[in-house]
Amino acid sequence: MLSASRTALRAPKSIRGLATAALTRDSQVNQNLLETHSFINYKKHLENVEIVKSRLNRPLTYAEKLLYGHLNDPHGQDIERGVSYLKLRPDRVACQDATAQMAILQFMSAGIDQVQTPSTVHCDHLIQAQVGGKKDLARAIDLNKEVYDFLASACAKYNLGFWKPGSGIIHQIVLENYAFPGALLIGTDSHTPNAGGLGQLAIGVGGADAVDVMAGLPWELKAPKIIGVKLTGKMSGWTSPKDIILKLAGITTVKGGTGAIVEYFGPGVETFSCTGMGTICNMGAEIGATTSVFPFNNSMVDYLNATGRSQIGEFANLYKKDFLSADEGAEYDQVIEIDLNTLEPHINGPFTPDLATPVSKMKETAIANDWPLEVKVGLIGSCTNSSYEDMTRAASIIKDAAAHGLKAKSIYTVSPGSEQVRATIERDGQLKTFEDFGGIVMANACGPCIGQWDRQDIKKGDKNTIVSSFNRNFTSRNDGNPATHAFVASPEMTTAYAIAGTLAFNPITDTLKDVNGKEFKLSEPVGVGLPPNGYDAGENTYQAPPVDRASVEVVIEPTSDRLQKLTPFKPWDGKDAEKLPILIKAVGKTTTDHISMAGPWLKYRGHLENISNNYMIGAINAENGEANNVKNLYTGKYDGVPNTAAAYRDAGYKWVVIGDENFGEGSSREHAALEPRFLGGFAIITKSFARIHETNLKKQGLLPLNFVNVADYDKINPEDEVDLLGLTTLAPGKNVTLRVHPKNGEVWETELSHTYNSEQIEWFKYGSALNKMAAVAAESK
């Protein structure tokens, strides 16, 4: 049991569980309460692990067991961390509504009558936060009716589960219903790793990867390295699980986890809640990690019990010693240790999630950097921090402030992570506490976290500060204002800042004045990890696929500006590429938000032609330091990036983009790869790529290439033309030659590396991975 100032991790009084019977290791146990056709296959996974262990002759980490347990061919699979490409069989696929549109459109073009792997679609991204939950939800349902109807009918037709708008955020729905220890899930959202808090591997992917698995093909992943994070001690006071990942982000930076799984271990793991572990795994995406995972433990059993899945917890316990735990002596590629006893609350930002500042240093750091001290808005919730525990701890701070006559000095918003959490905090009183405080309770959706926020309290260009319990804080991400200084913190710290109204406040040491002018300190937050009276499921928002799917019709109107059937991309012409113009040389951080903005553009996620009008409009042009203003090499005219790209395409010119480090970090959105392909792009050449974006580019038939000598990035000018040589002999491990034709000066050459394997090179040759899939299907008929 934790101390009084921390969260009690007790199970609720009553729970609804799966049918109970004496379980053995051979029992057939359902993966969830909603499907009758999906079962947990620990026995098979353990058999695979034993095969791999006999081959490698070494102990395995927890993450390795889960990964290798899902190998398609454990006998023949080449396995070397950071080198081999693994063929895996995920247990299920989860898609959010913004990415699901394109994924389903691609699946439909594959000509398969139903998904071959259990899959779900979750409506959470298209609901804009304006005035409050009920009105915003009603407005979204009206505005997005065409898209929701398409997704609902396609799910019914192809045998997917469908979670209607208002259900909640995909990652919370997965944790509450589908996640289980030892599983492997892929999801078309970069924060899919949230489910690692329930002891499984959950990995964010692009839609094309999801289509492969839905079509019954193995999923390919480069064998990750394993970073071990050892937790010792126990948190207390104002420190929360969010501070673990905020601290870690400061240590590793946004690219420190690239190509690796982060596996937590050590005695500190046993001291906090399953949902707290989910928070940590969720934000692991911000350090570039393939995924993050906690080992199976008692907190997970408590959460499974609380969500009606006690049989899964019991079944998992039968496999804890040999499958659901790391082997003694397992080795990590890197080990980082965090002492929870001394960990203090952190605030990360602005403009990047790895700029970590402990609360004790925040005032002086903010003043030194001229960050606006006044906190205009405090936002809690989102997929990262909207558990019952988060809500109760935030509510306890508000109650303390209210007892002293205080309300929020900042605008304060609450985004419940799911209908189940919303209904439970409404029943238990926390919702009223937020509203009495002056809080605005938003819909059960992503909302401001992804830019779905109709912010009215400032004008664009106003320099201001907001603090949230979200996971990502890139420039303009939340409100479209590049001058907004967005900081991420725990719900507790966000609430404290909203009460004080300033970044200069430290609740651990500083006092506030009550309504009578008397000084007082906020009490340390308290809460409970699980609702003592069980969860209230709230409104039923799940649509199961019908038994008779043959009569279901999926309609896409030819005149729609929201949905558009896909036309296959043209295959490679078999030649080296010569005299290609540079569309843009992007300088500095270029995230998927810069490449394909979200916010108001989300409505076009099912219409490739329309959404391509946002390609690279947030990227900074090295030539002039401006966004969305590039020069057409052949006309001399300056125009937006998408218009210039389309002009090149329509004139018959392929083009390239030159990019900086960690190009494409952030979201899993494959539109950031589909758009350049649609607009005639041929190659993206960078210092380095983020994992998901690089894979997405490969899937769509573009060439992601890296400078062998990163200093060559500085030698290239936006008005140069380039050749790509050696494509006719493209092979794994063999570099491509870049020949540069400067506008003024001598031609020069340099080497470009790539990470293609033989199968991925076929995607390039066929024009896309989907084209290759269709060709193989046609040959088999």
Side-chain angles (χ1 to χ4, degrees), residues 191 242-256 282-288 346-357 384 468 470-475 477-478 486-489 589 591 593-594 662 665-667:
H191 294 108
K242 182 66 163 285
D243 297 304
I244 296 174
I245 185 59
L246 295 174
K247 171 75 172 179
L248 184 63
I251 295 170
T252 64
T253 77
V254 291
K255 60 181 183 178
N282 177 297
M283 198 174 160
E286 308 321 317
I287 64 171
H346 278 65
I347 302 91
N348 287 27
F351 308 123
T352 184
D354 59 351
L355 184 56
T357 306
T384 320
S468 78
F470 303 162
N471 45 38
R472 195 166 281 164
N473 59 345
F474 301 141
T475 303
R477 176 176 173 85
N478 300 125
F487 296 85
V488 290
K589 186 185 284 286
T591 71
D593 281 313
H594 295 93
N662 208 29
E665 71 171 278
S667 167

Side-chain angles (χ1 to χ4, degrees), residues 9-12 15-16 171-181 194-195 197-198 273-276 296-310 313 386-389 418 420-421 529-531 535:
L9 303 181
R10 61 179 181 274
I15 52 175
R16 178 174 64 92
H171 312 305
Q172 294 303 310
I173 299 297
V174 167
L175 195 72
E176 292 171 357
N177 296 275
Y178 298 109
F180 63 90
N194 187 83
L198 202 39
S273 69
C274 171
T275 53
F296 177 55
N297 58 63
N298 290 333
S299 291
M300 296 176 189
V301 174
D302 288 344
Y303 186 76
L304 287 167
N305 291 343
T307 50
R309 297 174 289 167
S310 57
S386 57
S387 66
Y388 187 80
E389 176 182 34
S418 69
Q420 178 167 276
V421 168
L530 299 167
Y535 283 106

